[in-house]
Amino acid sequence: MMGMLSPLVLAGPDDDYRAGLKSFQDGDVVGAMAPLRSAANAGYSKAQVLLAEILDRSEFDEDAVVLYRKAADQGDPDGMFGLGAMIAAGEGVKTKDLVEGRLWIQRAAEKGQKQAINVMAQAYLKGELGFSEADRMTPAALQWVLLSAENDYLPSVDALIVAYSKGELLAVTPNPSLVEQYQAQANKIRNIDPVKAKKRPRKVS
């Protein structure tokens, strides 16, 4: 009789994603694939991103790009960053394109994706992603370096120490108080106690 039959409960994309994520975190990548693919096929952007990351690591670059793009088109910042990074590196695409890749990375950064923010800062500081030496002296460069410093991104913190010490970088004027502030931040990131660092080691006779 129909009333005695238990209803068939189907997992939704969110449940599939969570199951896949748990398997992935437990080190069972193979077990993660089926639920992640199910959720990804249902248009779940988080699953698309994680599955793309797995495929990217496994050198299935073209498949990874397709999934990253689907997530990016939904406005997912992790999808935007993944897509931009692959385009900029020329992985899984016909032609390497620094400008298009940078645009996707910047869109992700503008949504607060921390890795994208750090990459934007690094690109300005090192002249990557098509940026020139002159670009380093623009307000945009300072903006991304400051934002990445808030993430405790050490290269940016170190760059700000130099910039505010000498006024030769990032179009800023020397500011001793900011040098002290960023030096303290750098010491904290490196787990350096400035008091102990100044102590001279005892001589052992």
Side-chain angles (χ1 to χ4, degrees):
M1 295 175 63
M2 291 297 293
M4 298 179 64
L5 296 176
S6 298
L8 180 61
V9 178
L10 298 176
D14 183 66
D15 292 326
D16 283 333
Y17 167 71
R18 293 180 185 279
L21 176 62
K22 185 179 186 306
S23 294
F24 178 75
Q25 291 173 335
D26 290 342
D28 182 10
V29 177
V30 175
M33 296 291 286
L36 286 177
R37 192 169 293 282
S38 177
N41 289 340
Y44 199 75
S45 64
K46 290 182 180 179
Q48 291 167 343
V49 169
L50 181 53
L51 185 56
E53 182 181 333
I54 293 171
L55 293 171
D56 182 15
R57 293 180 182 180
S58 304
E59 300 299 328
F60 291 97
D61 294 339
E62 292 183 4
D63 293 333
V65 167
V66 170
L67 288 166
Y68 276 136
R69 191 179 294 279
K70 287 181 178 179
D73 287 341
Q74 295 183 65
D76 187 291
D78 293 326
M80 292 177 177
F81 175 71
L83 177 62
M86 295 200 75
I87 292 173
E91 297 178 355
V93 293
K94 292 182 179 179
T95 306
K96 176 178 179 178
D97 191 329
L98 291 177
V99 174
E100 183 185 358
R102 186 176 76 207
L103 286 174
W104 280 113
I105 293 171
Q106 183 171 331
R107 288 172 187 169
E110 289 169 349
K111 285 180 170 286
Q113 213 273 5
K114 289 186 177 182
Q115 194 174 359
I117 291 171
N118 296 347
V119 168
M120 287 297 296
Q122 177 77 4
Y124 275 107
L125 290 172
K126 298 295 184 181
E128 298 169 350
L129 295 178
F131 287 126
S132 67
E133 182 71 22
D135 291 322
R136 180 185 291 188
M137 304 300 288
T138 61
L142 179 60
Q143 173 197 1
W144 291 117
V145 172
L146 288 171
L147 284 172
S148 62
E150 292 178 8
N151 296 336
D152 282 344
Y153 184 59
L154 192 55
S156 289
V157 178
D158 286 338
L160 289 168
I161 293 170
V162 174
Y164 285 113
S165 295
K166 302 179 179 180
E168 298 174 354
L169 181 68
L170 298 170
V172 300
T173 55
N175 188 321
S177 64
L178 287 177
V179 172
E180 184 176 347
Q181 172 188 320
Y182 287 115
Q183 186 62 67
Q185 183 180 0
N187 290 341
K188 184 177 180 181
I189 296 169
R190 291 189 170 97
N191 198 27
I192 295 175
D193 186 332
V195 176
K196 291 182 179 179
K198 289 181 180 178
K199 289 183 178 179
R200 293 182 179 180
R202 293 179 180 177
K203 292 182 179 180
V204 179
S205 55

